[in-house]
Amino acid sequence: MESTIYCRDNSHLDAVYLMPYPRAGARALMERLESILEKEKIDFIIPCLDSEIMNYIELQGVLAHRGIKMMLPGKAAFLRRRKDALSLLCHRIDIPTPKTRMAHDAVELARFAEQIGYPIYVKGIYYEAHLAATEAELYAAFKDIAEMWGLPVMVQEMVVGEEYDVVGLGDGRGGIIGSCSIRKMLRTSAGKGFAGVVVADTRIDDLARRFIRALRWAGPFELELIKAPGQRHLVFEMNPRFPAWVDFPSQLGCNLPACLLEWLMETEQTPLAPCEPGRMFIRHCVDVLGDIADLAELASTGERTGSSLFNFSRRL
């Protein structure tokens, strides 16, 4: 159901292959990649989902032996920024973060929520967040998240303030190759940024540098922050991939995905332009026309390549 599969303009894909769900593990992923490699030449892989990155970290050596390059953090760095470990990391490097507790059952979660105080955010280890104002809402949120994403489930203090995002690329040695910071102007019901404006704030820059230096992070990252009036910026999430709004800085001359690809290709790096404060984006949605037969083909065969993609465009 990825929309780009059905695009017929310059954003169309050359080939599409369905992958096993990340919970199937690294072995299942490698078996699928082996079958794809029989048909395709793969030079680079850029994972885009939080839940799949650990499997790729596990396979990094095997894939490198096959000539496939990736830019990924080490396993220890990846685990240190997970939601269930973030508070400890932030405490060690003196970066404030909302009060957070992890639980493996709803009763324990409710006890933690009482300690922090309602309203409270209930979050999955990888995705999804619900705001709960009562114990009943907390139990309902726990059930939904645990069934969808598994355990543990966490509760996090609700902080009221301005939300900020930093997208960047770590060099694996403690430095940041390039980044862009925004303040969220519009958010979806799930808290995702739907509009944002570039900000220049040395406090955010310093916080991001300290965070990435502590992890010696390699590859894409997104830092999510919130700032209550009169308080310091709090880090409430670090995501180990580019966010959906990564195309915005590319239009300002800061093309981080292209920079990543140049790094993998070991070619001369195109200089990244600084993102000018005050430039803003608003997400624009369009309807992509498709055919149910093409969805059926993908679902039944697990792939759409060459001729089938061409025939789809020609029919339209």
Side-chain angles (χ1 to χ4, degrees), residues 249-270:
S250 75
Q251 298 181 52
L252 304 178
C254 183
N255 193 329
L256 294 169
C259 180
L260 169 56
L261 191 57
E262 289 174 344
W263 188 91
L264 292 171
M265 296 173 68
E266 299 180 10
T267 61
E268 184 179 353
Q269 298 282 294
T270 302

Side-chain angles (χ1 to χ4, degrees), residues 25-31 33 52-65 68 70 72:
R27 178 178 296 182
L29 174 60
M30 190 65 219
E31 289 175 353
L33 287 171
E52 69 181 352
I53 292 176
M54 180 55 79
N55 287 335
Y56 280 107
I57 291 174
E58 297 285 354
L59 295 175
Q60 195 164 11
V62 176
L63 293 174
H65 185 71
I68 300 173
M70 298 184 289
L72 297 175

Side-chain angles (χ1 to χ4, degrees), residues 94-105:
D94 190 30
I95 290 177
T97 186
K99 298 174 185 175
T100 307
R101 299 289 186 275
M102 308 297 297
H104 286 79
D105 63 67

Side-chain angles (χ1 to χ4, degrees), residues 66-86:
R66 297 289 300 268
I68 300 173
K69 296 181 179 181
M70 298 184 289
M71 190 179 189
L72 297 175
K75 184 176 180 179
F78 180 83
L79 294 176
R80 288 179 69 197
R81 41 73 30 205
R82 281 192 3 164
K83 293 178 183 178
D84 54 344
L86 184 65

